[in-house]
Amino acid sequence: MAKLSTFTTATTTPTFDKLKQFIDLDRQVLRFSAVWDDRNNMFGEMRPYTLHYYRVDDTIEVREQRQPNDGHDPFPVLIGRKKVPKARSNIPSNFPSAVMEISEHEITDWLTEKDLRVGETVVIMDRPFFLYDCDSFTQSFYQQMYGLSFSRVPVELGERKVEVKREIPPYNGFGSPQDSKQNCLSLIAQPPKKDVMKMLENDLKILRYAAVMESPNPEDKNRKFIISYSLAKDEMQIYEPHQRNAGIIEGKFLEYSQVRKPGSSIDNPEYYTPADFAIGATIEVFSRKFKIVDCDLYVLKYLEANGARFPAATIESIRAIHADKL
């Protein structure tokens, strides 16, 4: 029987030593400052990121640069540390489309430190990142290894601000114009601010006038009213007193409110003031006309004490009916 020949095997030492690479390149991280310009999409903006390239295993990590009150959820890591392919969609045609993940068997071309340079755009996971700066270690590394010198590229971070003119919408008829305007000035509805000093100085100061309704209806000709004007709130109230056999129940005709003059603009209204309540004058309140026929003596005293604020004709008309009392 022939003697079987013996086979000898030899193991070839690999030229690439992972241990040596780990010892030499561990903790050597290239750090770049980058921006992702997503402003072409709806609600997109310029987002700042920090790109780390780990030389020990040629992996890349992308972290978001958090800004206080930027309105984004606190997710600091956009892309975890991994090897990044240059063209993720460039895979063999025989690769099954049902497979979601791709491995090193399908991709042979990966991003390396030679592909990262300040002033250039690198595509990572279909997102374009523009590298505009790097740290001192990265600067010295590229200077020694590749003879490249980088300088910071000025980049304007933030959204594309569009100058938006704030316009107050027109008054819609609900509430008062002050309420509607105040609701447009703040996100949470706030009541209009009041002049506290004016309210304290004019507290309980009421100007009372007697008026009759001017109406083509015969039953309204004899109706009498008392108009009370509050100096603290600049509002007027109309009250109808009791009259025997009038057939109309007494009560409030108008609650305290500001009454806009007819013909004034809704957006910039003009309200009735004591200057308009001359004896014989007619005011229109919500399509109802009232003629001023009398007033208290206190009205004359107040108007004379503040004569610079009121027309002389109004003061003279009131002084005429109180001539016998002076």
Side-chain angles (χ1 to χ4, degrees):
M1 186 174 181
K3 186 177 179 181
L4 297 176
S5 59
T6 59
F7 295 93
T8 59
T9 59
T11 303
T12 304
T13 304
T15 57
F16 181 75
D17 191 352
K18 291 186 176 181
L19 178 60
K20 184 177 185 303
Q21 182 188 22
F22 177 79
I23 295 174
D24 294 342
L25 304 180
D26 186 32
R27 297 181 182 275
Q28 292 191 16
V29 181
L30 305 180
R31 181 188 178 97
F32 294 89
S33 297
V35 290
W36 172 27
D37 189 355
D38 191 40
R39 293 178 293 181
N40 292 328
N41 296 325
M42 183 179 294
F43 308 117
E45 57 183 350
M46 290 277 284
R47 302 281 296 275
Y49 292 90
T50 300
L51 187 147
H52 293 150
Y53 182 87
Y54 298 87
R55 297 193 64 217
V56 65
D57 54 359
D58 298 323
T59 56
I60 292 178
E61 177 190 55
V62 180
R63 303 179 67 89
E64 182 179 357
Q65 296 180 9
R66 291 282 298 156
Q67 301 293 334
N69 301 325
D70 58 0
H72 300 294
D73 292 330
F75 294 107
V77 179
L78 178 67
I79 300 176
R81 181 177 174 179
K82 63 176 68 175
K83 297 185 69 175
V84 177
K86 286 186 178 180
R88 188 173 183 274
S89 59
N90 187 15
I91 56 178
S93 59
N94 58 355
F95 184 75
S97 59
V99 178
M100 300 296 295
E101 298 294 335
I102 55 180
S103 62
E104 296 183 2
H105 299 284
E106 289 77 32
I107 298 179
T108 57
D109 198 6
W110 304 89
L111 283 176
T112 63
E113 59 190 35
K114 298 180 181 179
D115 303 310
L116 306 177
R117 297 185 180 184
V118 174
E120 297 183 359
T121 300
V122 57
V123 179
I124 302 177
M125 300 298 179
D126 297 330
R127 293 181 175 88
F129 290 91
F130 178 73
L131 308 181
Y132 67 90
D133 198 6
C134 63
D135 61 358
S136 58
F137 172 77
T138 305
Q139 177 78 20
S140 60
F141 170 78
Y142 277 91
Q143 181 69 33
Q144 297 175 4
M145 294 293 296
Y146 304 103
L148 300 176
S149 178
F150 297 145
S151 60
R152 179 185 175 89
V153 178
V155 174
E156 183 179 354
L157 300 178
E159 302 179 359
R160 288 178 180 170
K161 295 184 179 180
V162 180
E163 190 67 24
V164 179
K165 183 179 179 181
R166 297 183 61 182
E167 296 182 357
I168 304 298
Y171 176 53
N172 56 9
F174 293 94
S176 65
Q178 292 81 0
D179 288 331
S180 300
K181 181 179 180 180
Q182 190 68 22
N183 293 340
C184 300
L185 299 179
S186 60
L187 180 62
I188 301 176
Q190 300 288 340
K193 294 183 179 180
K194 299 181 180 180
D195 191 345
V196 180
M197 295 301 299
K198 181 178 180 179
M199 295 180 64
L200 293 175
E201 292 175 358
N202 299 291
D203 188 26
L204 301 179
K205 292 183 179 180
I206 306 295
L207 305 182
R208 290 181 175 85
Y209 302 84
V212 294
M213 179 179 288
E214 291 188 344
S215 173
N217 299 325
E219 59 272 13
D220 293 335
K221 289 185 177 181
N222 296 323
R223 297 178 65 179
K224 298 180 180 180
F225 297 88
I226 298 176
I227 300 177
S228 302
Y229 189 90
S230 174
L231 297 174
K233 300 182 293 183
D234 290 330
E235 297 177 346
M236 57 183 296
Q237 178 197 61
I238 301 178
Y239 182 83
E240 185 171 10
H242 172 70
Q243 296 186 69
R244 291 175 58 87
N245 301 324
I248 299 175
I249 301 175
E250 65 175 331
K252 293 180 181 179
F253 186 85
L254 176 69
E255 187 57 86
Y256 271 111
S257 59
Q258 290 183 318
V259 179
R260 184 168 57 90
K261 294 182 180 180
S264 63
S265 173
I266 297 179
D267 298 329
N268 190 18
E270 295 182 11
Y271 299 102
Y272 281 112
T273 65
D276 304 306
F277 296 156
I279 301 301
T282 301
I283 63 174
E284 184 175 341
V285 180
F286 300 110
S287 302
R288 302 292 197 277
K289 293 184 178 181
F290 297 88
K291 183 178 180 180
I292 307 297
V293 295
D294 199 358
C295 65
D296 290 341
L297 182 60
Y298 175 74
V299 177
L300 177 60
K301 294 180 179 180
Y302 178 80
L303 267 60
E304 289 179 340
N306 301 274
R309 297 165 46 191
F310 303 103
T314 301
I315 301 176
E316 288 298 329
S317 65
I318 297 176
R319 184 182 291 116
I321 65 171
H322 291 288
D324 56 338
K325 301 179 183 178
L326 297 178

